[in-house]
Amino acid sequence: MIKFNQNVATGKREAEDEMDYVSFYRIPDDDDQGCSDTSWHLLLNSAGYYKFESYFRMTHRRRGRKDFYLSYNHDGPMTIYLKGEKRVLEPGSFFLYRPSEEQHYGHYLEQEFLAYWVHFTGYGAEELLYRTGLTENNALRIGASDPIASQFEAMMDELRDKKPGYELASASHLSYLFAMISRQLERSSHAGDGMIHSDIYTSLQYIHTHYAEDIYVKQLADLAHLSADRFTTLFKRMTAATPQQYILRFRLQRASELLKRTSLNIQQIASVTGFEDQLYFSRMFKKAYLQTPSEYRSRFDEGEGGDL
Protein backbone atom coordinates (compact mmCIF):
# COMPACT_ATOMS: atom_id res chain seq x y z
CA MET A 1 0.00 0.00 0.00
CA ILE A 2 1.32 3.46 -0.96
CA LYS A 3 0.07 6.68 0.54
CA PHE A 4 1.30 10.21 -0.14
CA ASN A 5 -0.15 13.71 0.26
CA GLN A 6 0.56 17.26 -0.85
CA ASN A 7 -0.64 20.49 0.80
CA VAL A 8 -4.36 19.83 1.30
CA ALA A 9 -5.24 23.57 1.26
CA THR A 10 -4.09 23.97 -2.34
CA GLY A 11 -3.89 20.48 -3.74
CA LYS A 12 -3.92 16.82 -2.80
CA ARG A 13 -2.62 13.69 -4.37
CA GLU A 14 -3.19 10.27 -2.87
CA ALA A 15 -2.57 6.71 -3.84
CA GLU A 16 -4.09 3.88 -1.87
CA ASP A 17 -4.12 0.32 -3.15
CA GLU A 18 -4.90 0.91 -6.83
CA MET A 19 -6.28 4.43 -6.50
CA ASP A 20 -4.87 7.58 -8.09
CA TYR A 21 -6.55 10.82 -7.00
CA VAL A 22 -5.49 14.44 -7.53
CA SER A 23 -7.27 17.66 -6.55
CA PHE A 24 -6.35 21.34 -6.44
CA TYR A 25 -8.21 24.19 -4.73
CA ARG A 26 -8.50 27.94 -5.12
CA ILE A 27 -9.30 28.26 -1.41
CA PRO A 28 -9.45 25.62 1.36
CA ASP A 29 -12.58 23.47 1.22
CA ASP A 30 -12.31 21.31 4.32
CA ASP A 31 -16.10 21.06 4.80
CA ASP A 32 -16.67 19.98 1.16
CA GLN A 33 -19.37 22.63 0.73
CA GLY A 34 -17.71 24.87 -1.81
CA CYS A 35 -18.62 28.53 -2.11
CA SER A 36 -20.79 30.84 -4.20
CA ASP A 37 -19.20 34.01 -5.59
CA THR A 38 -21.29 36.09 -7.98
CA SER A 39 -18.78 38.94 -8.20
CA TRP A 40 -17.00 36.99 -10.98
CA HIS A 41 -18.38 35.98 -14.35
CA LEU A 42 -16.84 32.53 -13.96
CA LEU A 43 -14.60 31.27 -11.16
CA LEU A 44 -13.13 27.85 -10.43
CA ASN A 45 -13.19 26.61 -6.84
CA SER A 46 -11.43 23.27 -7.39
CA ALA A 47 -10.59 20.67 -10.04
CA GLY A 48 -9.09 17.23 -10.20
CA TYR A 49 -9.36 13.64 -11.37
CA TYR A 50 -9.60 10.16 -9.90
CA LYS A 51 -8.52 6.93 -11.51
CA PHE A 52 -8.88 3.35 -10.36
CA GLU A 53 -8.04 -0.02 -11.81
CA SER A 54 -10.38 -1.85 -9.46
CA TYR A 55 -12.51 0.05 -6.98
CA PHE A 56 -16.02 0.43 -5.60
CA ARG A 57 -17.18 3.80 -4.30
CA MET A 58 -20.19 6.10 -4.33
CA THR A 59 -20.25 9.77 -3.29
CA HIS A 60 -23.48 11.08 -1.80
CA ARG A 61 -24.02 14.74 -0.84
CA ARG A 62 -27.66 14.92 0.18
CA ARG A 63 -27.69 18.72 0.28
CA GLY A 64 -25.28 19.18 -2.57
CA ARG A 65 -22.79 22.03 -2.55
CA LYS A 66 -22.88 25.80 -2.94
CA ASP A 67 -21.24 25.66 -6.37
CA PHE A 68 -21.70 23.81 -9.66
CA TYR A 69 -20.19 20.36 -10.19
CA LEU A 70 -19.26 19.13 -13.65
CA SER A 71 -17.81 15.65 -14.15
CA TYR A 72 -16.37 14.04 -17.26
CA ASN A 73 -16.15 10.26 -17.32
CA HIS A 74 -13.25 9.57 -19.68
CA ASP A 75 -12.94 5.79 -19.17
CA GLY A 76 -15.20 3.16 -17.65
CA PRO A 77 -18.88 3.21 -16.56
CA MET A 78 -20.28 5.58 -13.96
CA THR A 79 -23.51 5.34 -12.00
CA ILE A 80 -25.33 8.57 -11.19
CA TYR A 81 -28.70 9.66 -9.81
CA LEU A 82 -30.39 12.68 -11.36
CA LYS A 83 -33.62 13.78 -9.68
CA GLY A 84 -33.76 10.35 -8.05
CA GLU A 85 -33.43 8.50 -11.35
CA LYS A 86 -30.57 6.02 -11.60
CA ARG A 87 -28.51 6.13 -14.78
CA VAL A 88 -25.40 4.28 -15.88
CA LEU A 89 -23.22 6.47 -18.08
CA GLU A 90 -20.91 5.20 -20.75
CA PRO A 91 -17.32 6.43 -21.19
CA GLY A 92 -17.12 9.89 -22.71
CA SER A 93 -20.07 11.25 -20.69
CA PHE A 94 -20.56 14.53 -18.83
CA PHE A 95 -22.98 15.14 -16.00
CA LEU A 96 -23.80 18.27 -14.02
CA TYR A 97 -25.12 19.11 -10.57
CA ARG A 98 -26.29 22.62 -9.74
CA PRO A 99 -25.88 24.39 -6.38
CA SER A 100 -27.84 22.77 -3.53
CA GLU A 101 -28.86 19.85 -5.76
CA GLU A 102 -28.49 16.39 -4.25
CA GLN A 103 -25.39 14.67 -5.59
CA HIS A 104 -25.12 10.89 -5.82
CA TYR A 105 -22.56 9.37 -8.18
CA GLY A 106 -19.73 6.88 -8.36
CA HIS A 107 -18.71 3.43 -9.52
CA TYR A 108 -20.60 0.28 -8.67
CA LEU A 109 -18.60 -1.91 -11.00
CA GLU A 110 -15.06 -2.90 -10.12
CA GLN A 111 -13.26 -2.09 -13.32
CA GLU A 112 -10.83 0.52 -14.60
CA PHE A 113 -12.09 4.07 -14.95
CA LEU A 114 -10.89 7.68 -15.12
CA ALA A 115 -13.04 10.68 -14.27
CA TYR A 116 -12.25 14.43 -14.29
CA TRP A 117 -14.21 16.98 -12.30
CA VAL A 118 -14.45 20.71 -11.61
CA HIS A 119 -16.39 22.84 -9.09
CA PHE A 120 -17.17 26.38 -10.28
CA THR A 121 -19.28 29.44 -9.54
CA GLY A 122 -19.99 32.93 -10.99
CA TYR A 123 -22.83 35.07 -12.29
CA GLY A 124 -22.24 33.88 -15.87
CA ALA A 125 -22.31 30.14 -15.11
CA GLU A 126 -25.96 29.56 -15.98
CA GLU A 127 -25.68 31.35 -19.32
CA LEU A 128 -22.63 29.30 -20.28
CA LEU A 129 -24.36 26.05 -19.36
CA TYR A 130 -27.46 27.04 -21.31
CA ARG A 131 -25.43 27.88 -24.41
CA THR A 132 -23.49 24.63 -24.08
CA GLY A 133 -26.56 22.43 -23.85
CA LEU A 134 -26.08 21.19 -20.28
CA THR A 135 -29.64 21.43 -19.01
CA GLU A 136 -30.86 20.92 -15.45
CA ASN A 137 -31.81 17.25 -15.66
CA ASN A 138 -29.37 16.07 -18.24
CA ALA A 139 -26.22 14.06 -18.78
CA LEU A 140 -24.45 14.14 -22.12
CA ARG A 141 -22.30 11.65 -23.96
CA ILE A 142 -19.85 13.09 -26.45
CA GLY A 143 -17.22 10.36 -26.50
CA ALA A 144 -13.78 9.94 -24.93
CA SER A 145 -11.60 12.89 -25.93
CA ASP A 146 -8.00 13.58 -24.98
CA PRO A 147 -8.31 17.31 -25.92
CA ILE A 148 -11.18 17.61 -23.44
CA ALA A 149 -9.11 15.85 -20.79
CA SER A 150 -6.31 18.32 -21.55
CA GLN A 151 -8.60 21.24 -20.63
CA PHE A 152 -9.17 19.70 -17.21
CA GLU A 153 -5.42 19.20 -16.85
CA ALA A 154 -4.86 22.87 -17.74
CA MET A 155 -7.39 23.98 -15.10
CA MET A 156 -5.64 21.82 -12.52
CA ASP A 157 -2.27 23.32 -13.46
CA GLU A 158 -3.59 26.86 -12.97
CA LEU A 159 -5.08 26.07 -9.55
CA ARG A 160 -1.89 24.30 -8.52
CA ASP A 161 0.60 26.97 -9.59
CA LYS A 162 -1.52 30.05 -8.76
CA LYS A 163 0.46 32.34 -11.01
CA PRO A 164 -0.75 35.95 -11.39
CA GLY A 165 -4.09 35.93 -13.19
CA TYR A 166 -4.70 32.23 -12.60
CA GLU A 167 -8.37 32.85 -11.80
CA LEU A 168 -8.93 34.34 -15.27
CA ALA A 169 -6.77 31.72 -16.97
CA SER A 170 -8.54 28.78 -15.32
CA ALA A 171 -11.95 30.30 -16.12
CA SER A 172 -10.88 30.70 -19.75
CA HIS A 173 -10.00 27.01 -19.91
CA LEU A 174 -13.42 26.14 -18.49
CA SER A 175 -15.13 28.44 -21.00
CA TYR A 176 -13.24 26.75 -23.80
CA LEU A 177 -14.26 23.37 -22.41
CA PHE A 178 -17.91 24.44 -22.67
CA ALA A 179 -17.25 25.45 -26.26
CA MET A 180 -15.76 22.03 -27.02
CA ILE A 181 -18.81 20.31 -25.53
CA SER A 182 -21.11 22.51 -27.59
CA ARG A 183 -19.12 21.69 -30.72
CA GLN A 184 -19.47 17.96 -30.14
CA LEU A 185 -23.21 18.29 -29.53
CA GLU A 186 -23.61 20.37 -32.67
CA ARG A 187 -21.70 17.80 -34.67
CA SER A 188 -23.98 15.08 -33.40
CA SER A 189 -27.13 16.99 -34.27
CA HIS A 190 -25.85 17.83 -37.76
CA ALA A 191 -23.89 14.71 -38.54
CA GLY A 192 -22.52 14.71 -42.05
CA ASP A 193 -23.97 18.02 -43.17
CA GLY A 194 -20.82 20.05 -42.65
CA MET A 195 -22.66 22.88 -40.91
CA ILE A 196 -20.19 23.28 -38.09
CA HIS A 197 -16.47 23.60 -38.59
CA SER A 198 -14.48 22.50 -35.53
CA ASP A 199 -11.62 24.93 -36.15
CA ILE A 200 -13.90 27.84 -35.31
CA TYR A 201 -13.20 27.07 -31.65
CA THR A 202 -9.59 27.95 -32.23
CA SER A 203 -10.79 31.49 -32.80
CA LEU A 204 -12.64 31.49 -29.47
CA GLN A 205 -9.50 30.44 -27.66
CA TYR A 206 -7.57 33.12 -29.53
CA ILE A 207 -10.04 35.79 -28.40
CA HIS A 208 -9.82 34.62 -24.79
CA THR A 209 -6.04 34.90 -24.92
CA HIS A 210 -5.53 38.00 -27.10
CA TYR A 211 -8.56 40.14 -26.22
CA ALA A 212 -6.29 43.07 -25.24
CA GLU A 213 -4.90 43.25 -28.79
CA ASP A 214 -6.46 44.38 -32.06
CA ILE A 215 -8.51 41.45 -33.41
CA TYR A 216 -10.02 41.40 -36.90
CA VAL A 217 -12.67 39.10 -38.33
CA LYS A 218 -10.42 38.23 -41.28
CA GLN A 219 -7.73 37.17 -38.81
CA LEU A 220 -10.15 34.90 -36.93
CA ALA A 221 -11.56 33.49 -40.14
CA ASP A 222 -8.05 32.57 -41.28
CA LEU A 223 -7.51 30.66 -38.04
CA ALA A 224 -10.68 28.68 -38.78
CA HIS A 225 -9.73 28.19 -42.45
CA LEU A 226 -12.97 29.85 -43.55
CA SER A 227 -14.02 32.86 -45.55
CA ALA A 228 -14.97 35.88 -43.44
CA ASP A 229 -18.66 35.56 -44.35
CA ARG A 230 -18.81 31.83 -43.63
CA PHE A 231 -16.90 32.26 -40.39
CA THR A 232 -19.25 35.02 -39.20
CA THR A 233 -22.31 32.88 -39.97
CA LEU A 234 -20.98 29.85 -38.07
CA PHE A 235 -19.61 31.95 -35.23
CA LYS A 236 -22.98 33.60 -34.67
CA ARG A 237 -24.73 30.23 -34.79
CA MET A 238 -22.48 28.94 -31.98
CA THR A 239 -22.32 32.01 -29.74
CA ALA A 240 -25.52 33.94 -30.60
CA ALA A 241 -23.28 36.93 -31.33
CA THR A 242 -21.21 38.26 -34.19
CA PRO A 243 -17.42 38.10 -33.69
CA GLN A 244 -17.34 41.84 -32.98
CA GLN A 245 -20.15 41.55 -30.43
CA TYR A 246 -18.47 38.59 -28.73
CA ILE A 247 -15.10 40.38 -28.51
CA LEU A 248 -16.75 43.48 -27.06
CA ARG A 249 -18.69 41.46 -24.49
CA PHE A 250 -15.60 39.49 -23.48
CA ARG A 251 -13.53 42.66 -23.06
CA LEU A 252 -16.25 44.27 -20.94
CA GLN A 253 -16.45 41.19 -18.72
CA ARG A 254 -12.70 41.36 -18.14
CA ALA A 255 -12.97 45.09 -17.46
CA SER A 256 -15.70 44.53 -14.87
CA GLU A 257 -13.48 42.05 -13.03
CA LEU A 258 -10.57 44.52 -13.02
CA LEU A 259 -12.85 47.27 -11.70
CA LYS A 260 -13.87 45.02 -8.82
CA ARG A 261 -10.49 43.58 -7.95
CA THR A 262 -7.76 46.06 -8.85
CA SER A 263 -6.85 49.70 -8.22
CA LEU A 264 -6.10 50.41 -11.88
CA ASN A 265 -7.69 53.66 -13.06
CA ILE A 266 -10.35 53.74 -15.77
CA GLN A 267 -7.92 54.67 -18.53
CA GLN A 268 -5.56 51.82 -17.59
CA ILE A 269 -8.40 49.29 -17.50
CA ALA A 270 -9.65 50.46 -20.87
CA SER A 271 -6.16 50.02 -22.31
CA VAL A 272 -5.40 46.55 -20.91
CA THR A 273 -8.77 45.20 -22.06
CA GLY A 274 -8.34 46.30 -25.67
CA PHE A 275 -10.03 49.73 -25.76
CA GLU A 276 -7.91 52.49 -27.27
CA ASP A 277 -10.51 55.18 -26.49
CA GLN A 278 -11.49 55.62 -22.84
CA LEU A 279 -14.67 57.50 -23.75
CA TYR A 280 -15.78 54.70 -26.05
CA PHE A 281 -15.00 52.17 -23.31
CA SER A 282 -17.09 54.11 -20.78
CA ARG A 283 -19.98 54.44 -23.22
CA MET A 284 -19.98 50.71 -24.05
CA PHE A 285 -19.63 49.76 -20.39
CA LYS A 286 -22.60 51.87 -19.37
CA LYS A 287 -24.67 50.42 -22.21
CA ALA A 288 -23.89 46.88 -21.02
CA TYR A 289 -24.00 47.35 -17.23
CA LEU A 290 -26.32 50.39 -16.96
CA GLN A 291 -23.66 52.17 -14.89
CA THR A 292 -20.50 54.08 -15.64
CA PRO A 293 -17.25 52.26 -14.78
CA SER A 294 -16.79 54.55 -11.76
CA GLU A 295 -20.32 53.89 -10.50
CA TYR A 296 -19.83 50.16 -10.98
CA ARG A 297 -16.56 50.19 -9.02
CA SER A 298 -18.08 52.17 -6.15
CA ARG A 299 -20.56 49.35 -5.48
CA PHE A 300 -17.72 47.00 -4.65
CA ASP A 301 -15.70 49.60 -2.78
CA GLU A 302 -18.71 49.71 -0.45
CA GLY A 303 -18.53 45.97 0.16
CA GLU A 304 -21.12 44.58 -2.23
CA GLY A 305 -18.87 41.83 -3.57
CA GLY A 306 -19.70 38.14 -3.68
CA ASP A 307 -20.19 35.89 -0.67
CA LEU A 308 -17.78 33.16 0.34
Side-chain angles (χ1 to χ4, degrees):
M1 179 180 294
I2 302 173
K3 294 183 179 180
F4 53 95
N5 292 276
Q6 294 176 343
N7 185 344
V8 176
T10 57
K12 180 169 62 178
R13 180 185 181 94
E14 296 179 349
E16 184 172 341
D17 294 329
E18 296 172 350
M19 175 181 72
D20 185 5
Y21 174 84
V22 178
S23 56
F24 296 101
Y25 299 86
R26 180 177 59 87
I27 55 176
D29 189 19
D30 295 333
D31 62 357
D32 192 31
Q33 292 298 304
C35 75
S36 174
D37 188 338
T38 56
S39 64
W40 289 74
H41 180 259
L42 190 65
L43 183 64
L44 270 65
N45 288 333
S46 54
Y49 74 80
Y50 50 100
K51 179 180 181 180
F52 302 97
E53 294 181 3
S54 178
Y55 200 73
F56 170 88
R57 181 178 179 179
M58 292 292 292
T59 296
H60 193 185
R61 301 184 182 101
R62 296 184 183 278
R63 297 183 179 179
R65 285 172 51 105
K66 298 175 184 177
D67 47 17
F68 292 83
Y69 175 71
L70 179 68
S71 178
Y72 174 56
N73 200 40
H74 189 276
D75 297 313
M78 174 175 279
T79 299
I80 66 170
Y81 290 84
L82 289 173
K83 303 298 184 183
E85 178 186 354
K86 179 180 176 180
R87 301 178 63 175
V88 179
L89 304 183
E90 299 180 32
S93 297
F94 277 92
F95 68 92
L96 172 78
Y97 288 118
R98 280 177 163 72
S100 302
E101 184 178 8
E102 182 179 12
Q103 301 180 6
H104 196 182
Y105 60 91
H107 300 265
Y108 277 128
L109 301 177
E110 293 190 358
Q111 65 184 81
E112 182 177 355
F113 63 87
L114 169 63
Y116 292 90
W117 55 268
V118 59
H119 292 287
F120 60 95
T121 183
Y123 68 85
E126 285 285 2
E127 178 186 359
L128 287 170
L129 294 171
Y130 173 77
R131 294 189 181 280
T132 301
L134 285 163
T135 53
E136 182 176 359
N137 189 25
N138 206 3
L140 303 171
R141 183 176 184 274
I142 63 174
S145 168
D146 289 338
I148 284 177
S150 294
Q151 291 302 313
F152 281 95
E153 297 282 355
M155 288 185 278
M156 293 159 57
D157 289 345
E158 292 292 343
L159 292 178
R160 178 195 63 207
D161 297 340
K162 290 184 169 60
K163 296 178 181 179
Y166 78 93
E167 297 98 334
L168 297 180
S170 58
S172 292
H173 285 298
L174 182 57
S175 295
Y176 186 56
L177 173 65
F178 288 142
M180 296 176 75
I181 297 171
S182 180
R183 174 182 62 191
Q184 295 293 341
L185 293 175
E186 193 73 17
R187 277 180 170 177
S188 298
S189 62
H190 299 91
D193 64 4
M195 293 181 66
I196 299 299
H197 196 292
S198 64
D199 286 344
I200 210 166
Y201 285 92
T202 303
S203 68
L204 282 173
Q205 191 173 39
Y206 185 88
I207 292 170
H208 295 169
T209 305
H210 298 275
Y211 62 89
E213 306 169 13
D214 290 336
I215 302 176
Y216 302 98
V217 174
K218 175 66 166 59
Q219 178 185 12
L220 298 174
D222 288 344
L223 288 173
H225 310 291
L226 296 168
S227 69
D229 289 343
R230 178 63 172 164
F231 170 80
T232 299
T233 298
L234 296 180
F235 190 97
K236 188 173 183 180
R237 184 179 301 164
M238 293 181 185
T239 65
T242 66
Q244 297 93 332
Q245 290 169 337
Y246 186 93
I247 293 168
L248 175 61
R249 185 170 61 194
F250 193 85
R251 286 170 170 167
L252 290 173
Q253 289 171 352
R254 291 293 178 261
S256 71
E257 291 162 359
L258 292 174
L259 285 167
K260 288 181 286 188
R261 299 187 177 275
T262 75
S263 59
L264 295 174
N265 62 42
I266 305 301
Q267 183 176 0
Q268 289 171 324
I269 290 175
S271 178
V272 300
T273 53
F275 294 92
E276 294 183 2
D277 186 335
Q278 179 185 343
L279 293 177
Y280 175 73
F281 163 67
S282 297
R283 186 166 68 251
M284 292 298 99
F285 191 93
K286 184 173 183 180
K287 183 177 180 180
Y289 290 89
L290 304 181
Q291 292 177 309
T292 66
S294 297
E295 291 169 342
Y296 183 86
R297 167 173 272 170
S298 68
R299 292 171 44 205
F300 298 93
D301 290 340
E302 296 169 359
E304 294 186 13
D307 297 327
L308 291 181

